[in-house]
Amino acid sequence: MKLLRCLIVTFGSVASTVLFIMLPKDEAPALGLAAYLIGFVACVFWLFVTAREVVKVLKAIGTVLRISYSILGMTVLAWGNSIGDVISNSAIAKQGSPKTAVAACLSSPMFNLVFSLGAALTIECIQQYPEPYTVKHMGAPFYNTVAFLCFGLIMTTVVVSRSNYVVTRSYAKILLGLYIAYGVVNIMVVTLQVKLPW
């Protein structure tokens, strides 16, 4: 496996250097669909590798500082995962395309939930075949997240549809308050062992 990784890094470095030198800098190169697909797969691969390392670093920080993995996941990892969407969607909305920004806000987490979770569970099921894959008890922070997520989605659906699909500044503040309440509740549950009905 180490040899394969070294070969991939070496080949990728050489190929990218050659392409950088040979291709024109003032116009988009006509490489064809295959080259763009290879580039896309390479980007996904690097994101996967980087994400694995970030998770390992967060686990190490949690172990050293004795911070719960749940708190690290819902704060540092979640913010780092979403900051790109916040910046890009805000820029799109300011440029006069609020519908595109709202669609991106809703479709990005949908992709993460459906595709990413579905792919991970599919891989686990394949690896454990023919034994069934059993989901372990996720703990109180998971159920809190599901409860706040469902409440926020239902509230947003009702409020936005009743206001003729106009999102006001006051409702944005309510959503921010809901997120702050979600964070406070989860921190209390993890650190103070507060019991909730669900």
Side-chain angles (χ1 to χ4, degrees), residues 71 74 140-141 143-145 147-148 177-198:
I71 294 178
M74 74 178 199
Y143 298 111
N144 296 339
T145 302
F148 274 95
L178 181 66
Y179 180 76
I180 292 171
Y182 157 75
V184 170
V185 168
N186 265 347
I187 290 173
M188 289 174 59
V189 167
V190 172
T191 57
L192 305 178
Q193 302 295 321
V194 177
K195 300 293 184 183
L196 294 176
W198 51 81

Side-chain angles (χ1 to χ4, degrees), residues 124-147:
E124 285 295 326
C125 290
I126 291 172
Q127 289 177 347
Q128 295 195 10
Y129 182 81
E131 295 295 325
Y133 175 69
T134 56
V135 180
K136 298 177 182 177
H137 181 66
M138 304 298 290
F142 172 76
Y143 298 111
N144 296 339
T145 302
V146 172

Side-chain angles (χ1 to χ4, degrees), residues 13-196:
S13 302
V14 172
S16 59
T17 304
V18 171
L19 289 174
F20 179 77
I21 294 171
M22 294 182 63
L23 292 176
K25 309 293 187 297
D26 54 348
E27 59 183 9
L31 297 176
L33 182 61
Y36 295 123
L37 288 176
I38 292 172
F40 175 76
V41 171
C43 289
V44 171
F45 172 76
W46 282 111
L47 287 173
F48 172 73
V49 171
T50 306
R52 286 184 63 182
E53 296 305 317
V54 168
V55 170
K56 288 179 182 178
V57 170
L58 282 178
K59 284 187 175 181
I61 293 173
T63 303
V64 171
L65 300 179
R66 296 181 180 178
I67 301 175
S68 170
Y69 295 155
S70 300
I71 294 178
L72 285 174
M74 74 178 199
T75 54
V76 180
L77 189 60
W79 297 337
N81 192 31
S82 304
I83 192 68
D85 290 341
V86 171
I87 294 171
S88 60
N89 293 340
S90 300
I92 291 171
K94 289 178 181 178
Q95 289 175 0
S97 302
K99 290 183 179 179
T100 306
V102 171
C105 286
L106 297 176
S107 60
S108 178
M110 177 65 71
F111 176 81
N112 286 334
L113 284 172
V114 175
F115 180 79
S116 302
L117 186 61
L121 290 176
T122 301
I123 292 171
E124 285 295 326
C125 290
I126 291 172
Q127 289 177 347
Q128 295 195 10
Y129 182 81
E131 295 295 325
Y133 175 69
T134 56
V135 180
K136 298 177 182 177
H137 181 66
M138 304 298 290
F142 172 76
Y143 298 111
N144 296 339
T145 302
V146 172
F148 274 95
L149 178 63
C150 292
F151 177 74
L153 288 174
I154 293 171
M155 182 175 66
T156 300
T157 302
V158 173
V159 171
V160 173
S161 61
R162 285 185 171 273
S163 62
N164 198 20
Y165 295 93
V166 175
V167 180
T168 61
R169 220 177 258 263
S170 59
Y171 184 66
K173 293 177 181 177
I174 292 173
L175 290 178
L176 288 175
L178 181 66
Y179 180 76
I180 292 171
Y182 157 75
V184 170
V185 168
N186 265 347
I187 290 173
M188 289 174 59
V189 167
V190 172
T191 57
L192 305 178
Q193 302 295 321
V194 177
K195 300 293 184 183
L196 294 176

